[in-house]
Structures are given as C-alpha cells and as structure tokens.
Amino acid sequence: MDEKELAAFLQNYNGRPLRLMEVCGTHTSALYRTGLRQLLSKKITLVSGPGCPVCVTPTAYIDKLVEFAFEPGYRVMTFGDMLAVPGSRMSLAEARDRGGAADFFYAPEEMLKRAAAHPETTYVLATVGFETTAPVWATIIKEAAARDIKNLKFLTALKTMPQALSFLCGQGKIDGFLCPGHVAVITGSEPYSRLAEEFGETMVIGGFSRSLLLRALTRLVLESSRSHTGMWNEYPSVVKPEGNPAARQILDEVFAAGDAAWRGIGVLKGSGLYIKEKYRDWDAGSRGLDEDAVPKGCLCSRIVLGAALPGQCPYFGKGCTPEHPVGACMVSSEGTCCITYREG
C-alpha cells in the first residue's frame, strides 16, 4: 500500500478497540508533527510511555544536583531542560536564582576542555539518558580518565529501556507497543523479540518520518487487531538484530548494570547504568538516589505508564505549563505533557 492507502486504513479502522503505546518521546512528538495521531480512528487509543529520560528522573537525583550547586567550588552542568525539572524542594533553575552554581551546556563534549581550563572548579555533569546517549557519555568518561581530568564528575541517571518495557508488559493493559527506534539502533531488535515472546505481546520497531511511522503504525494495528504476538522491525535500514556492537562494547567497558528508580514507576531491577570501579574517581555518587516525591495531585506517575492522559491531570495547562512545570512530564521537549500542551 502507498502512503495514502496506509493513512486511510488507520483513519477508517473499525476493528476491535485497541490501546497502543508509543514508548519514545521522539515518536510522541513526531506523531503530532506529522498529523498521524490526529487522523487515527476512534477505535485506536494511542498513549505515551516512559520514553523521556528527563521525565523519569527521580526527585532524589535532582536534589543531589541541587546540593552540589550550593557546594563551594562546585558547578552543576546539564542540558537546558534538566534545569526546570522539579526536585522535592526546588529545581536547578530555582537553585541558580538563589545563588547556586548551575548552568547548561550544548554538547557534553565541551566540558572536557572547560574542566581542563578551570582546575579550581569541580564540574558535576548531569548524566541523563537511555541507550541512545549512553555511549556518548561513556566516551567522555573514558577521555576524562585518559587525560586525568579529576575535576570533572558524572552524576549518572542512565537507564535501559527493555526493563521498563518488561514492567509495562507485565501490567497487561496495552495491546501493542511502538518500540523506540533510536534505542533499538544501539540495542538491536533482539531484546524486543525476547520480550514479545516472553509476554505474548505485539511489538513493532518504527522510524520517525511520516512514511516510516505510517508503516509501523499500520503493522502495529494489523497485528494487534488479530492478536498476533511477536516483533516486527519496520526500521530495518538502521536497526539490525545485533544492534551497534561498537557502542555496546564501550557501554560494557565503562558501565555496570544496577537497579534504578524511574520517576512514577519505582525501582526497576537492572535498569540503570553505573560507572564501573575502574572509573570510580569520576563518579559523583550516583547510586541510591531512589526517593521520589511527586507533587500531590500530579498525574505524571500515571501518565508515564499510559494509565492517564495529560488532559486528565488537574494541573495540566493551568498550574502546570512548560514555563512553570509542576510535574516532570511538562519539562522536556520529549515529555508527553509538554508535547501535548504545545502541539495537541
């Protein structure tokens, strides 16, 4: 079928009601931007999963960064959207307004040069992401060690997606998953094949253009409506069964798996990546940051599970906006609430 026929199929679908989840925040944005979410049949409910690393970072991690921001001789550096993530007491942006040392970078690689040029300052980097960005962080940690830049520290909140998908599959409330294409480039398609087999789920790996999304969504709706279980790779040009061996090798060299807290979900076994003993001098104390304090009434903890929609949250668009976020889902450009507010 051509794109017009695929779009017509999704728009006119009249089979059994389906509840589908796109896991990746980039997919959430692309589905709005391409107009595909808006054209879906009313028989298809598309919900968003925990695919935004900023959104699932627990408050204890933010609180630790805030502590560093007020520590003499320290400066916290992060991507811009992390500045606004609420902690249990304040965000990094609020800490900065109160005299704390916190700023943003455009590319983490630039911090190697900056730290080397300013040995009097200890820089703490907010090291957040999934498998997509973890190899970049691993490379920077290796380079900092090779150059013996001891005033560059990494507070990690790196997470791996298969464990989160395993948790979601165990809930039994989703008919099919649109799996994250960017993550699958690194991990390969095999982890999703195993999950589909273990839980009897329907999983489709998809790309991000309108054409690729049309094909992935059509496959997902077709197979889910027939209760066919398994994994289909609709992004074969870049996602291979084995993934990216070089990226996985550097991850294995620098990081070790461990339990990690996901904001709104809780602690998932083996879902975190922590700096290995070999590079411990560059670890800012990343383990044990599990406590999470979600504001009373905020539905972020349900939204990241696809159990609630942004519009159902009493704060959405009222007390909670991208300029003044209450919950983490409103902070990032890949957060479900932020995307829905701006594009939905």
Side-chain angles (χ1 to χ4, degrees), residues 55 299-301 303-304 327-332 334-339:
C55 302
L299 295 188
C300 275
S301 59
I303 289 169
V304 297
C329 294
M330 186 61 86
V331 174
S332 171
E334 292 190 351
T336 305
C337 291
C338 183
I339 294 169

Side-chain angles (χ1 to χ4, degrees), residues 149-170:
I149 306 175
K150 290 287 183 63
N151 62 320
L152 191 59
K153 307 292 184 181
F154 301 81
L155 193 69
T156 64
L158 297 169
K159 295 177 170 61
T160 50
M161 189 55 67
Q163 289 82 358
L165 271 172
S166 178
F167 174 84
L168 291 166
C169 289

Side-chain angles (χ1 to χ4, degrees), residues 35 61 72 94 105 115 122 127-128 146 150 155 163 176 186 192 197 223 240 248 265 269 325 333 341:
Y61 179 83
E94 291 169 321
F105 49 70
T122 297
T127 309
V128 176
K150 290 287 183 63
L155 193 69
Q163 289 82 358
I186 305 298
Y192 305 99
E197 181 178 357
E223 305 302 342
K240 309 302 179 186
R248 291 169 63 183
I265 296 177
K269 290 186 176 182
S333 60
Y341 182 86

Side-chain angles (χ1 to χ4, degrees), residues 290-314:
D290 298 339
E291 190 173 338
D292 195 23
V294 177
K296 185 177 180 180
C298 174
L299 295 188
C300 275
S301 59
R302 299 187 64 212
I303 289 169
V304 297
L305 295 174
L309 300 175
Q312 295 173 322
C313 181

Side-chain angles (χ1 to χ4, degrees), residues 84-95:
V85 178
S88 64
R89 294 178 292 111
M90 69 182 80
S91 66
L92 280 171
E94 291 169 321

Side-chain angles (χ1 to χ4, degrees), residues 8 16 28 44 61 77 80 86 111-112 125 160 170 202 214 239 261 284 308 328 332:
R16 72 181 183 92
T28 304
I44 302 171
Y61 179 83
M77 301 296 296
M111 292 308 304
L112 289 164
L125 272 59
T160 50
T202 306
L214 274 170
V239 175
S332 171

Side-chain angles (χ1 to χ4, degrees), residues 3-332:
E3 288 189 27
K4 186 175 181 180
E5 291 171 319
L6 294 173
F9 168 78
L10 293 173
Q11 188 171 25
N12 299 317
Y13 171 77
N14 196 33
R16 72 181 183 92
L18 296 174
R19 187 174 180 82
L20 308 175
M21 174 181 282
E22 94 277 350
V23 179
C24 174
T26 308
H27 272 150
T28 304
S29 181
L31 287 164
Y32 273 117
R33 187 182 68 252
T34 57
L36 294 182
R37 183 182 288 269
Q38 296 89 317
L39 70 74
L40 292 178
S41 161
K42 292 183 178 180
K43 289 287 192 77
I44 302 171
T45 300
L46 194 58
V47 297
S48 303
C52 165
V54 170
C55 302
V56 296
T57 300
T59 54
Y61 179 83
I62 304 301
D63 293 344
K64 185 72 173 179
L65 289 174
V66 169
E67 286 181 23
F68 279 122
F70 286 110
E71 187 76 20
Y74 282 74
R75 178 169 290 274
V76 174
M77 301 296 296
T78 180
F79 286 110
D81 53 3
M82 280 293 294
L83 290 170
V85 178
S88 64
R89 294 178 292 111
M90 69 182 80
S91 66
L92 280 171
E94 291 169 321
R96 184 175 59 181
D97 291 342
R98 300 181 190 186
D103 207 346
F104 66 91
F105 49 70
Y106 292 103
E109 297 91 337
E110 70 192 46
M111 292 308 304
L112 289 164
K113 182 177 180 180
R114 185 167 178 177
H118 299 278
E120 73 283 359
T121 300
T122 297
Y123 293 94
V124 178
L125 272 59
T127 309
V128 176
F130 292 131
E131 292 96 332
T132 312
T133 54
V136 175
W137 287 114
T139 301
I140 297 170
I141 292 168
K142 279 192 65 177
E143 183 64 19
R147 294 167 58 179
D148 199 33
I149 306 175
K150 290 287 183 63
N151 62 320
L152 191 59
K153 307 292 184 181
F154 301 81
L155 193 69
T156 64
L158 297 169
K159 295 177 170 61
T160 50
M161 189 55 67
Q163 289 82 358
L165 271 172
S166 178
F167 174 84
L168 291 166
C169 289
Q171 305 300 298
K173 298 178 180 179
I174 305 296
D175 295 302
F177 293 89
L178 177 61
C179 299
H182 288 151
V183 169
V185 171
I186 305 298
T187 64
S189 59
E190 284 302 317
Y192 305 99
S193 295
R194 291 194 295 269
L195 285 169
E197 181 178 357
E198 179 182 354
F199 291 97
E201 290 284 358
T202 306
M203 296 188 169
V204 176
I205 298 173
F208 300 91
S209 68
R210 179 179 171 85
S211 175
L212 290 171
L213 280 170
L214 274 170
R215 296 190 179 281
L217 281 175
T218 299
R219 171 69 71 180
L220 186 59
V221 171
L222 274 172
E223 305 302 342
S224 298
S225 65
R226 298 167 179 168
S227 298
H228 288 174
T229 62
M231 189 283 297
W232 287 265
N233 182 7
E234 292 291 341
Y235 201 19
S237 60
V238 293
V239 175
K240 309 302 179 186
E242 69 280 7
N244 185 324
R248 291 169 63 183
Q249 181 178 352
I250 195 169
L251 289 180
D252 289 341
E253 179 182 348
V254 177
F255 298 120
D259 300 348
W262 295 58
R263 191 170 191 152
I265 296 177
V267 175
L268 298 180
K269 290 186 176 182
S271 66
L273 295 176
Y274 296 97
I275 296 174
K276 283 187 172 180
E277 179 70 15
K278 178 181 178 180
Y279 299 101
R280 66 178 179 178
D281 289 345
W282 288 268
D283 189 351
S286 307
R287 291 181 180 269
L289 302 177
D290 298 339
E291 190 173 338
D292 195 23
V294 177
K296 185 177 180 180
C298 174
L299 295 188
C300 275
S301 59
R302 299 187 64 212
I303 289 169
V304 297
L305 295 174
L309 300 175
Q312 295 173 322
C313 181
Y315 291 115
F316 180 77
K318 300 169 186 173
C320 184
T321 65
E323 291 72 30
H324 302 283
V326 173
C329 294
M330 186 61 86
V331 174
S332 171

